[in-house]
Amino acid sequence: MDDLRPLPWATRIARSSREGVELLQEHRDCFIDELWLDHDLGGDDSILPVVTLLEEAAFDGRPFRIGTVFVHSANPIGAETVVRSLTFWNYRVRRATV
């Protein structure tokens, strides 16, 4: 999920948090090998609604099945917030540069 960067290796790309939430809900019962998250998604939009969805799923005892969540963001504070939040809920999270 990234508002600007081309992600040529990606199977599906969401450009907003709304699209990201819809995409995850569409693939709720699938294994997701890699999930790439950018913190800032343009304007006032951010990845936080997606993070909330992932957190709530874990809280309910039914976390999304994701191999690795990669956080790639030019916003170091936002990226660290995402890493800490998802790590707390036992998602495998890595910082990445794109």
Side-chain angles (χ1 to χ4, degrees), residues 18-50:
R18 181 187 55 77
E19 288 177 15
V21 166
E22 290 172 1
L23 189 60
L24 280 175
Q25 289 172 334
E26 180 183 327
H27 293 86
R28 179 64 181 103
D29 295 317
C30 301
F31 176 76
I32 300 168
D33 186 45
E34 294 181 357
L35 180 63
W36 289 74
L37 304 177
D38 181 16
H39 183 273
D40 301 319
L41 297 175
D44 293 333
D45 196 13
S46 76
I47 203 64
L48 295 183
V50 172

Side-chain angles (χ1 to χ4, degrees), residues 2 8 10-11 24-25 27 30 35 40 44 46 52-53 55 59-60 67 78 86 90 93 98:
D2 193 302
T11 303
L24 280 175
Q25 289 172 334
H27 293 86
C30 301
L35 180 63
D40 301 319
D44 293 333
S46 76
T52 299
L53 177 68
E55 290 174 317
F59 178 80
D60 290 339
L86 296 180
N90 296 316
V93 185
V98 177

Side-chain angles (χ1 to χ4, degrees), residues 6 21 56 60 67 84 91:
V21 166
E56 288 175 349
D60 290 339
R84 285 183 185 184
Y91 289 100

